[in-house]
Amino acid sequence: MIKDLAEFKVPVLLFSGGEPLLREDLFELNANALEQGLRSVISTNGTLISREVARRIKESRFDYVGVSLDGIGANNDRFRGKSGAYEKALQGIRNLTDLGQKTGLRFTITRHNYADLPAVFKFVENENIGRVCFYHLVYSGRGSKMLEDDLTHGQMRGCVDSICEWTESLKRRGKDLEVLTVDNHADGVYVYLKLKKNNSKRAGEVLRLLRLNGGNNSGIAIANVDNMGFVHADQFWQDYSFGNVKDRPLGEIWMDTSDELMAGLKDRKSKLKGRCARCGFLDICNGNFRVRAQAVYGDVWQEDPACYLTEEEIK
């Protein structure tokens, strides 16, 4: 499969899970990926990263390690259902950063942990972490249940405001840190409109970069291959597969638009409904996450329920 990925010109291979460090052949797979010219990264809960494992990760030339936390201290352990998970993850992060391994924090914001954001900001600075990704919740599987765990639209806006203010504070203090918000493309529009309202000279450049990015890339430039080899539009869309890499190469599966959903995801703008259909920023957002619409409305082309932009803003 890794050879097929390289032939399809995939630039990055993300080992995720589950917990990828449970695989005894992870380092062998990584060596194979490097031989094929792929960059490789790990998404992990961090609890298995002893000093020895951290050394192997560094020596194996993984490009990046993202460690997931769901809160600070006991709040993380409640999410994980495991006492001591936070302390183990913290030690794993320290073991990596002590060796100079590029390491980042992954934090999914929910109704149950958004109050931890100030503590997360402090944590990132105190631990000298070079990158932090704040994820919005994506509803998959138990969609209606997960909707109850998400923030209100007003809370989403407040969280993005807080992240922006903290990032600006870092910049003023000369701290070099990558700060990302992920999994809600309304963020790009919201940040652009904030800059434009403040007459920032960067607003035009930000708009250009957002258009270049193109918004949601599920079924376009991001793919998920599960532990059985089934190919999905992204990591959240586990209930629908386009094929299996044990039967056909990923590139062949990915470019086969005889599948109605694959064809739609690759050219979706005319199919979108509701607020997404009348939004003036489709070139930035590309309809956001279709799997959220499916989970809430049972219609993959309905509007994304997590879009917090106002009617005036989407005009």
Side-chain angles (χ1 to χ4, degrees):
M1 186 193 77
I2 291 173
K3 185 174 183 291
D4 290 337
L5 296 183
E7 290 177 353
F8 191 47
K9 307 299 183 185
V10 170
V12 182
L13 174 59
L14 167 64
F15 292 101
S16 185
E19 174 49 56
L21 287 168
L22 287 172
R23 283 194 68 117
E24 295 179 358
D25 62 349
L26 177 64
F27 295 98
E28 179 184 345
L29 294 171
N30 176 61
N32 186 273
L34 293 177
E35 288 174 6
Q36 300 289 340
L38 294 171
R39 288 173 52 217
S40 55
V41 299
I42 304 174
S43 175
T44 171
N45 64 35
T47 61
L48 301 178
I49 304 178
S50 63
R51 291 181 182 273
E52 174 61 21
V53 171
R55 183 189 61 77
R56 290 190 70 189
I57 289 172
K58 177 68 174 176
E59 292 178 351
S60 299
R61 295 188 292 139
F62 278 99
D63 193 68
Y64 172 74
V65 181
V67 179
S68 297
L69 287 178
D70 293 306
I72 300 300
N75 204 18
N76 177 77
D77 290 1
R78 278 194 293 272
F79 269 84
R80 298 286 168 169
K82 182 72 173 177
S83 179
Y86 172 78
E87 289 299 328
K88 287 184 178 180
L90 173 58
Q91 190 57 56
I93 290 171
R94 289 173 174 171
N95 290 338
L96 291 166
T97 56
D98 285 348
L99 292 172
Q101 170 67 49
K102 186 175 181 181
T103 305
L105 177 68
R106 300 159 62 94
F107 184 84
T108 299
I109 305 171
T110 74
R111 188 170 296 185
H112 310 292
N113 66 9
Y114 78 100
D116 281 7
L117 273 180
V120 172
F121 297 156
K122 185 176 180 181
F123 174 88
V124 171
E125 291 194 59
N126 288 346
E127 298 299 326
N128 295 313
I129 296 170
R131 189 174 197 256
V132 56
C133 301
F134 294 100
Y135 288 78
H136 290 268
L137 191 64
V138 180
Y139 325 141
S140 60
R142 297 173 296 116
S144 59
K145 172 62 178 174
M146 294 185 78
L147 183 61
E148 298 172 9
D149 296 327
D150 205 357
L151 305 178
T152 66
H153 288 178
Q155 289 169 335
M156 290 180 191
R157 296 170 74 98
C159 286
V160 176
D161 285 338
S162 296
I163 293 166
C164 288
E165 290 165 8
W166 175 61
T167 306
E168 289 176 331
S169 171
L170 290 170
K171 183 70 174 177
R172 286 194 300 269
R173 289 181 281 130
K175 293 186 177 291
D176 185 21
L177 177 66
E178 291 181 49
V179 182
L180 300 87
T181 66
V182 187
D183 290 346
N184 192 334
H185 298 279
D187 290 351
V189 180
Y190 186 64
V191 170
Y192 162 68
L193 292 175
K194 281 167 68 77
L195 292 169
K196 186 179 178 184
K197 182 179 179 181
N198 295 331
N199 296 314
S200 170
K201 294 178 181 178
R202 293 203 63 215
E205 175 66 2
V206 165
L207 182 61
R208 185 187 73 83
L209 291 170
L210 288 168
R211 283 175 171 159
L212 186 66
N213 176 268
N216 181 270
N217 272 301
S218 301
I220 303 171
I222 180 171
N224 171 258
V225 182
D226 69 21
N227 60 304
M228 299 298 289
F230 291 101
V231 177
H232 310 281
D234 57 42
Q235 66 269 40
F236 305 106
W237 217 318
Q238 296 298 301
D239 63 339
Y240 191 94
S241 169
F242 301 114
N244 194 295
V245 295
K246 291 182 286 187
D247 301 323
R248 290 195 294 165
L250 178 87
E252 186 178 317
I253 295 171
W254 204 245
M255 301 309 294
D256 184 358
T257 53
S258 64
D259 184 286
E260 186 177 352
L261 178 59
M262 179 64 85
L265 289 172
K266 282 181 163 52
D267 186 18
R268 69 186 72 175
K269 291 183 175 63
S270 64
K271 298 180 179 294
L272 296 173
K273 303 175 184 178
R275 283 163 44 85
C276 288
R278 60 180 183 270
C279 180
F281 288 104
L282 270 182
D283 56 343
I284 289 177
C285 177
N286 202 28
N288 220 334
F289 270 85
R290 301 293 83 224
V291 72
R292 269 196 296 247
Q294 182 191 49
V296 173
Y297 303 116
D299 183 348
V300 70
W301 304 120
Q302 256 301 348
E303 63 191 44
D304 185 332
C307 177
Y308 54 80
L309 300 171
T310 67
E311 287 293 327
E312 186 62 30
E313 286 169 337
I314 68 172
K315 294 177 183 178

